[in-house]
Amino acid sequence: MAAETLPALDCACASLRRASRAVTQACEAALKHTGLRATQFTLLQVLERMGTSPQSALGELLALDPTTLSRTLRPLARAGWIRAGAGRDRREVRWTLTPAGRRRLARARPAWERAQARLRGRLRAEQWALLVEDLAAVAAAGRHG
């Protein structure tokens, strides 16, 4: 079933921000009872996928500035879902998903999967197929000004 459409906006930034807000709101609603925000779920999911990762690599992958990333990581570390470790030098922090973090992620994943399925169901198959690939290309194009 195709989704209703909104008028196109002439600005890439405005269009992406509108889409991001709408999808984030849907994900936040789905994750509401899991104890995780969409940004927190994303970080746990990325750490599960990447394994131990330098903070700088997380920021690069997610296009997050260091301050925003630190602010998002802090509550996850306080909850015991991730752990900071030493990097190659004193400035580098490497993050690891803890067993408690894996359990929290596993408990939240069904809610996230339902939200993904709802979004996927509201788009044509070809729209969904292009979405992730195209957004990765747009993020790369927009990176570094």
Side-chain angles (χ1 to χ4, degrees):
M1 170 175 125
E4 67 179 87
T5 58
L6 294 170
L9 301 172
D10 293 334
C11 174
C13 183
S15 296
L16 286 166
R17 290 178 60 83
R18 176 175 65 180
S20 177
R21 284 189 300 272
V23 172
T24 298
Q25 289 166 5
C27 287
E28 290 286 347
L31 292 170
K32 185 177 183 178
H33 301 292
T34 69
L36 289 174
R37 306 230 10 159
T39 52
Q40 295 171 327
F41 181 87
T42 297
L43 272 167
L44 294 179
Q45 194 176 46
V46 165
L47 280 171
E48 179 184 54
R49 178 179 170 190
M50 292 177 70
T52 299
S53 176
Q55 185 165 329
S56 59
L58 291 173
E60 184 76 15
L61 177 67
L62 297 172
L64 288 172
D65 66 89
T67 301
T68 302
L69 181 57
S70 292
R71 200 176 5 204
T72 307
L73 290 167
R74 227 174 287 129
L76 297 176
R78 277 195 306 270
W81 300 332
I82 62 174
R83 178 177 35 254
R88 285 175 284 215
D89 62 39
R90 287 187 304 213
R91 294 170 298 169
E92 184 182 79
V93 177
R94 297 179 63 82
W95 291 96
T96 303
L97 187 62
T98 66
R102 287 184 195 287
R103 289 190 298 275
R104 176 59 62 159
L105 183 59
R107 282 196 300 271
R109 187 168 274 122
W112 173 81
E113 288 172 349
R114 285 190 298 275
Q116 295 292 297
R118 270 193 300 278
L119 180 59
R120 188 178 286 128
R122 292 178 179 150
L123 296 171
R124 293 187 315 271
E126 60 273 13
Q127 286 175 309
W128 181 263
L130 293 172
L131 178 70
V132 175
E133 183 180 321
D134 285 352
L135 287 176
V138 170
R143 180 178 279 166
H144 309 301

